[in-house]
Amino acid sequence: MHNIILPLFAVALLSACVVGPDYRRPVIETPEKWRVDYPQAAEVTNFGWWTQFGDPALNALIETALNENRDIQAAAARVDQFIGVLNTTRAQFFPQIGYSASISQNRATEKLAVLPPGNDPYFTLYRGALNASWQTDLFGRIRRQSEAAQAQIFASEQGRRGVILSVVTSVAASYIGLRALDRQLEIARASAANYAETMRIFELRYQWGVVSQTELSQIQSQYQLALATIPGIEQQIVAQENLISILLGRNPEAIPRGNTIDELIAPTVPPDLPSTLLERRPDILEAEQNLVATNANVGVAKSLYYPTISLTGMLGSASTAFGNFLTGPASTWSVAAGLVGPLFTFGAITGQVRTAEAVQREAIAFYQATILNAFRETNDALIGAVKKREEAEAQAKRVMALKEYARLSWAKFDNGYASYLEVLFAENLLFDVELAAVRSKADRYTELVNVYKATGGGWVDEAEQFAPKPRLKGVQPVLEGNLLAP
């Protein structure tokens, strides 16, 4: 038996190879620059960019979300799941050792010449053994499985980082939206209070015959319009607070405020070439690692064409008397080698290979589409940041012009040179534009947040220090063209 097993063992070690294609990153055509030339700024992608808003309340909300957000916790648990799969896969590289023990009551047949005449046919049999088995990775099936499992770990880790990116940017954008609604509510309430005072004065003037019923009705309508705006804004504020609460991993509750939206400071925009997205956007890195896994699975499928060699051994004891159970004469052992391979499968293995190759082609297309979408999102965010800034500046100037228009209209009305209809038009226009100006400022800040979301960056690593972490010790991503060692 030793003469058979040792040569097979030597062949397994010396002839081991890995079937299937090694991973090569697909060639990606990247644009040389973005479609908009945003003013260059200092490198700010590798730290918490949200701190540039200068609002401690926002900083605290983001830190809380990173600690307690349920999606981040679930993403960390998914990484640990794939680590467990890798541990199970890697275990196949090593012999599997086990044990067995049994006690059985038996009766021997008296019809055959098995027992000497007069012996008791009833007896108890005691058995115990240690067993070991090892399947040699002759054609790299286990190595490809390990490569796929490790790539899935890194893909899930990038998925976790993508969740962190999404949570941070969602909290920042939601907080900006909340502060914008707060400011709009202030404008609506202040306008309603001003209209109420104007209405009181007009009611007195109407009683003395200074103004007509038409003019009184106009100011009453204006007052009710401002009042009607308030409940809708209040409803949006509560809904926004509920959204932020869920991002914080809490039940709906009031959200603490810090600076007003007018006191927030616009973050600078990170300057980078489009090609850097390939190295730092979590969704791109996740898609590539999923591609690595599908590439390795092609090798797993192709390894089914080749035989597998397994070595098994057993050392134990068997006796009909418990007192003699562990004595020398009761010992038993066996050593065996097995060779199993396909002969005629009628397309079963071919079908699995074709399936694996099709999944790989799908992963390539998805990886390329993810990159194209990343370029689109970044270009959209950059052009949005530029144009929303221009829009916000124009709206601010329009507010100033309408305030002057309203002041002059009131002066003309008080001096009898215009009807209140002109004042009403100016006041209503100013009210609408003030609300729109707040929305434009919030949109500008939100687009800046989108720039950081679209470009990714090292700031995700900065945010990770507050988030739940999976156990990634000893796990590294698959590099281009490299195979994982056991």
Side-chain angles (χ1 to χ4, degrees):
M1 182 63 70
H2 289 81
N3 294 334
I4 299 175
I5 295 174
L6 291 178
L8 287 174
F9 181 74
V11 169
L13 293 180
L14 296 177
S15 303
C17 60
V18 181
V19 298
D22 290 341
Y23 175 69
R24 291 290 183 270
R25 175 178 290 175
V27 177
I28 302 296
E29 182 180 353
T30 60
E32 295 182 359
K33 62 180 181 179
W34 303 116
R35 292 188 61 187
V36 56
D37 292 328
Y38 205 96
Q40 295 295 296
E43 176 58 49
V44 293
T45 57
N46 293 326
F47 69 92
W49 53 265
W50 55 90
T51 60
Q52 295 183 73
F53 281 109
D55 192 336
L58 174 59
N59 299 342
L61 289 175
I62 289 178
E63 183 175 342
T64 299
L66 289 170
N67 273 292
E68 302 179 20
N69 180 269
R70 299 298 186 263
D71 291 332
I72 293 178
Q73 294 175 0
R78 283 193 294 272
V79 178
D80 287 335
Q81 292 174 31
F82 283 109
I83 292 176
V85 173
L86 177 62
N87 291 339
T88 301
T89 302
R90 281 182 167 178
Q92 300 178 76
F93 283 113
F94 308 99
Q96 304 299 299
I97 302 173
Y99 63 90
S100 63
S102 66
I103 303 175
S104 62
Q105 187 70 29
N106 304 275
R107 184 188 186 282
T109 179
E110 297 177 9
K111 297 295 184 180
L112 299 175
V114 177
L115 293 173
N119 278 25
D120 187 359
Y122 296 95
F123 64 95
T124 301
L125 183 62
Y126 302 90
R127 293 177 181 270
L130 292 174
N131 52 72
S133 63
W134 180 40
Q135 187 176 104
T136 62
D137 193 25
L138 183 60
F139 295 101
R141 177 182 62 85
I142 300 175
R143 274 171 284 177
R144 288 302 191 195
Q145 288 177 333
S146 179
E147 181 181 348
Q150 188 150 338
Q152 288 174 333
I153 289 175
F154 193 68
S156 62
E157 167 62 7
Q158 291 303 316
R160 184 184 74 93
R161 297 178 76 250
V163 173
I164 290 175
L165 181 149
S166 178
V167 167
V168 170
T169 54
S170 295
V171 171
S174 299
Y175 182 79
I176 291 169
L178 179 62
R179 297 309 279 144
L181 290 170
D182 289 338
R183 178 60 185 139
Q184 288 180 327
L185 183 60
E186 290 176 2
I187 293 172
R189 287 175 173 172
S191 297
N194 290 335
Y195 295 155
E197 178 61 20
T198 303
M199 186 175 65
R200 186 186 66 81
I201 296 174
F202 269 54
E203 287 173 345
L204 293 175
R205 289 183 175 183
Y206 174 71
Q207 293 175 4
W208 290 95
V210 177
V211 298
S212 66
Q213 177 68 46
T214 300
E215 291 172 321
L216 177 60
S217 298
Q218 288 171 342
I219 185 58
Q220 288 173 338
S221 173
Q222 193 175 33
Y223 172 64
Q224 294 301 326
L225 175 64
L227 286 182
T229 305
I230 292 174
I233 297 176
E234 290 175 334
Q235 179 186 4
Q236 294 179 61
I237 287 175
V238 173
Q240 197 76 357
E241 287 183 318
N242 293 343
L243 172 61
I244 296 175
S245 296
I246 299 304
L247 291 171
L248 300 181
R250 299 174 177 176
N251 290 322
E253 61 184 12
I255 299 300
R257 269 72 156 177
N259 296 342
T260 67
I261 191 168
D262 294 327
E263 295 171 336
L264 296 179
I265 303 171
T268 54
V269 173
D272 280 296
L273 295 175
S275 59
T276 60
L277 286 187
L278 304 182
E279 302 171 359
R280 69 187 193 186
R281 267 195 50 142
D283 58 339
I284 294 178
L285 297 175
E286 180 182 8
E288 182 174 15
Q289 288 303 312
N290 284 329
L291 175 57
V292 171
T294 60
N295 184 82
N297 286 333
V298 172
V300 173
K302 288 184 176 181
S303 70
L304 298 177
Y305 283 119
Y306 302 94
T308 58
I309 297 176
S310 60
L311 305 176
T312 60
M314 186 273 290
L315 175 63
S317 181
S319 175
T320 58
F322 187 75
N324 299 328
F325 178 52
L326 298 177
T327 62
S331 64
T332 177
W333 63 271
S334 69
V335 178
L339 178 67
V340 178
L343 191 57
F344 298 107
T345 63
F346 301 97
I349 298 177
T350 301
Q352 294 184 57
V353 172
R354 289 179 177 177
T355 298
E357 290 175 339
V359 172
Q360 179 198 34
R361 292 196 301 272
E362 179 186 7
I364 292 174
F366 182 79
Y367 172 63
Q368 294 170 333
T370 301
I371 293 175
L372 292 176
N373 186 63
F375 292 151
R376 177 191 64 80
E377 288 182 352
T378 305
N379 272 294
D380 288 350
L382 288 171
I383 191 66
V386 171
K387 297 308 176 183
K388 286 298 180 182
R389 182 193 63 195
E390 296 174 357
E391 177 185 320
E393 291 173 350
Q395 288 283 23
K397 294 177 181 177
R398 190 181 182 201
V399 168
M400 297 301 296
L402 285 174
K403 284 183 177 180
E404 181 65 11
Y405 174 37
R407 186 188 68 80
L408 294 175
S409 297
W410 268 109
K412 290 172 64 178
F413 173 76
D414 288 337
N415 289 282
Y417 295 111
S419 69
Y420 186 72
L421 185 61
E422 183 176 342
V423 176
L424 177 66
F425 177 78
E427 291 281 356
N428 287 340
L429 195 57
L430 175 60
F431 179 60
D432 292 338
V433 171
E434 282 184 317
L435 296 179
V438 174
R439 287 193 294 269
S440 293
K441 180 172 289 188
D443 290 343
R444 178 199 175 190
Y445 290 151
T446 301
E447 285 297 339
L448 290 172
V449 172
N450 288 337
V451 170
Y452 281 92
K453 182 178 181 180
T455 56
W459 67 265
V460 180
D461 299 324
E462 179 75 13
E464 277 188 306
Q465 63 180 311
F466 301 108
K469 298 178 177 61
R471 298 183 296 272
L472 281 173
K473 183 178 180 180
V475 179
Q476 297 295 330
V478 177
L479 300 177
E480 182 177 336
N482 290 346
L483 294 175
L484 294 175

